[in-house]
Amino acid sequence: MRRFFKRFSKLLLALLLPAVLLAACTNSRLVLRPLYNSLDDRIQKTALNYTDFSEQQTADIKALVDHFHVWHRQTQLSHYAALAGTVADRLSLDEPITAESVAFWSASLREYADTVGRCNPLYRSHDIIASLDDQQVADLQKNREEILFSRQADDSVDFEGGSAGESLEDEEDPVVSRQKRQAQTASRIRRYIELAGLDVTESQFNDYKKTLSERKYPETRFRNVLQEWDQRFFKLLDRRNEGDWPDVLREYIDARRSAFSARRDDVRAHNTMLWEAYAVRTFNGLSPEQRRFVGNWLAKLSVTLSSLAADTPSYKAAGAADYKCTGVKILG
């Protein structure tokens, strides 16, 4: 499920980052609609590549992912639409954007992201996992290691959600590598923004690069935590046929999400304050033309997301009200 969360986290970050960065993602229904509507297909394809599943297992995986997609469409998209509309409305007013407003928007996004974590379909996969035979488990473990620790591994991993810029690779000089990634990120964001039609001044670009360089990183390596919890999972699979397996799996996923959240405890407050202060500066530093552009962009995004939420899903077997979220609340 890495690809879904990678794409979805980009949308969340696009809403969280301040105005001039929002143009990095499209707000066109012509683009977002097929992208969003195909998310379940991409999740299924990624999951089904881990091993050779039986016909029944394949059908169960597809049904679970489709149900999650229906839940997300019908219960979550409206939140993002409302938030984008709120920011657009505020930008249309001739008054400063306050730190209090940015802090509220930031907290709202963290709440929405936590809801997705609590409702991750892995929580509801206990029957599918229990049906795996020993060869399938061995294949899963082998393929998981190959995917996550190849040179192409990215930083968005299942339900724990790695922070942007955290690499799974062992670097000879992590400081130099981080600076290189930051420079690449800044240049890419600027290119996307300007392709969307918003000109960024050198002062605005330099402020973004400076803020990016001031971000702190956890002392504990992301890769080390990932390895530990993956090992725990595959050891835990020995219990998949026991009567309390659904509770065992739920408790494991809760603990795993908590571990990745706790890993960032020592830097979370700093980074939150850093980006929220940057957002306030950026919003209030927009020229009148930039402010109108970003406000109109967000207003269109709000309409697009509302339209996507109202689409009739192709999956008819169950509705959003039937999808139960069983994960623990972990804000951070």
Side-chain angles (χ1 to χ4, degrees):
M1 298 183 179
R2 295 185 315 122
R3 292 182 181 177
F4 166 72
F5 284 104
K6 180 178 180 181
R7 291 180 183 274
F8 186 68
S9 64
K10 285 182 178 179
L11 177 58
L12 299 183
L13 288 172
L15 288 168
L16 177 59
L17 291 177
V20 298
L21 301 181
L22 284 166
C25 291
T26 181
N27 60 8
S28 170
R29 176 177 168 83
L30 292 175
V31 176
L32 285 181
R33 187 172 188 270
L35 177 63
Y36 185 78
N37 287 349
S38 64
L39 281 178
D40 52 350
D41 295 331
R42 290 195 295 275
I43 297 172
Q44 293 163 6
K45 181 178 180 180
T46 301
L48 293 171
N49 281 339
Y50 273 104
T51 188
D52 290 327
F53 293 99
S54 69
E55 184 176 340
Q56 184 60 55
Q57 289 169 335
T58 298
D60 290 343
I61 290 171
K62 290 183 176 181
L64 175 58
V65 173
D66 285 340
H67 197 186
F68 171 75
H69 196 195
V70 169
W71 167 83
H72 187 269
R73 180 191 301 277
Q74 296 182 346
T75 69
Q76 300 303 295
L77 285 184
S78 59
H79 296 312
Y80 301 107
L83 182 57
T86 296
V87 180
D89 289 343
R90 288 295 305 276
L91 287 171
S92 69
L93 303 176
D94 186 18
E95 59 184 40
I97 302 297
T98 66
E100 290 76 15
S101 291
V102 169
F104 178 76
W105 299 336
S106 174
S108 296
L109 281 167
R110 290 194 297 275
E111 178 77 31
Y112 303 157
D114 183 70
T115 299
V116 172
R118 290 189 292 111
C119 300
N120 190 295
L122 287 176
Y123 279 108
R124 299 168 56 89
S125 65
H126 46 83
D127 287 340
I128 298 171
I129 295 175
S131 72
L132 297 173
D133 61 34
D134 291 343
Q135 184 59 54
Q136 288 176 315
V137 170
D139 290 343
L140 281 169
Q141 186 168 8
K142 177 177 179 292
N143 290 330
R144 169 76 172 177
E145 292 170 353
E146 288 180 353
I147 290 172
L148 293 183
F149 299 109
S150 68
R151 295 297 294 179
Q152 290 77 34
D154 60 57
D155 61 10
S156 298
V157 183
D158 291 333
F159 41 81
E160 65 272 1
S163 298
E166 294 176 298
S167 175
L168 296 175
E169 300 176 14
D170 288 320
E171 302 289 352
E172 294 181 3
D173 190 337
V175 174
V176 173
S177 177
R178 183 174 298 156
Q179 292 173 342
K180 181 179 178 180
R181 290 197 302 272
Q182 289 172 348
Q184 292 172 340
T185 297
S187 296
R188 184 170 60 251
I189 291 295
R190 184 176 191 176
R191 183 171 68 253
Y192 290 160
I193 291 171
E194 293 183 342
L195 284 173
L198 179 63
D199 291 329
V200 179
T201 68
E202 285 305 311
S203 176
Q204 290 169 332
F205 184 56
N206 289 335
D207 189 22
Y208 173 63
K209 290 193 296 183
K210 180 175 182 295
T211 305
L212 196 63
S213 70
E214 292 173 351
R215 180 185 172 196
K216 292 184 178 180
Y217 295 83
E219 294 182 2
T220 306
R221 293 288 303 275
F222 179 73
R223 177 172 183 160
N224 293 345
V225 180
L226 182 64
Q227 283 180 312
E228 175 188 349
W229 283 90
D230 269 12
Q231 290 169 359
R232 291 190 189 189
F233 175 71
F234 286 106
K235 184 176 181 179
L236 203 66
L237 287 185
D238 292 340
R239 300 179 57 183
R240 66 187 183 277
N241 296 126
E242 297 179 6
D244 62 346
W245 170 243
D247 291 332
V248 169
L249 180 63
R250 174 179 51 78
E251 291 168 3
Y252 164 79
I253 299 174
D254 283 344
R256 179 171 179 140
R257 290 175 52 229
S258 296
F260 277 89
S261 178
R263 170 182 172 268
R264 298 188 290 271
D265 281 347
D266 59 336
V267 301
R268 180 177 291 111
H270 169 84
N271 290 339
T272 298
M273 292 178 61
L274 178 74
W275 286 110
E276 288 179 0
Y278 168 73
V280 174
R281 290 196 308 273
T282 302
F283 275 129
N284 293 320
L286 295 172
S287 69
E289 293 78 12
Q290 288 177 321
R291 188 164 174 137
R292 282 193 295 273
F293 179 95
V294 175
N296 291 337
W297 192 95
L298 282 170
K300 183 179 178 181
L301 177 63
S302 178
V303 172
T304 296
L305 293 177
S306 295
S307 176
L308 292 178
D311 281 349
T312 301
S314 58
Y315 180 71
K316 307 292 185 181
D322 303 314
Y323 190 91
K324 305 302 180 185
C325 300
T326 59
V328 70
K329 187 180 184 69
I330 304 173
L331 284 180

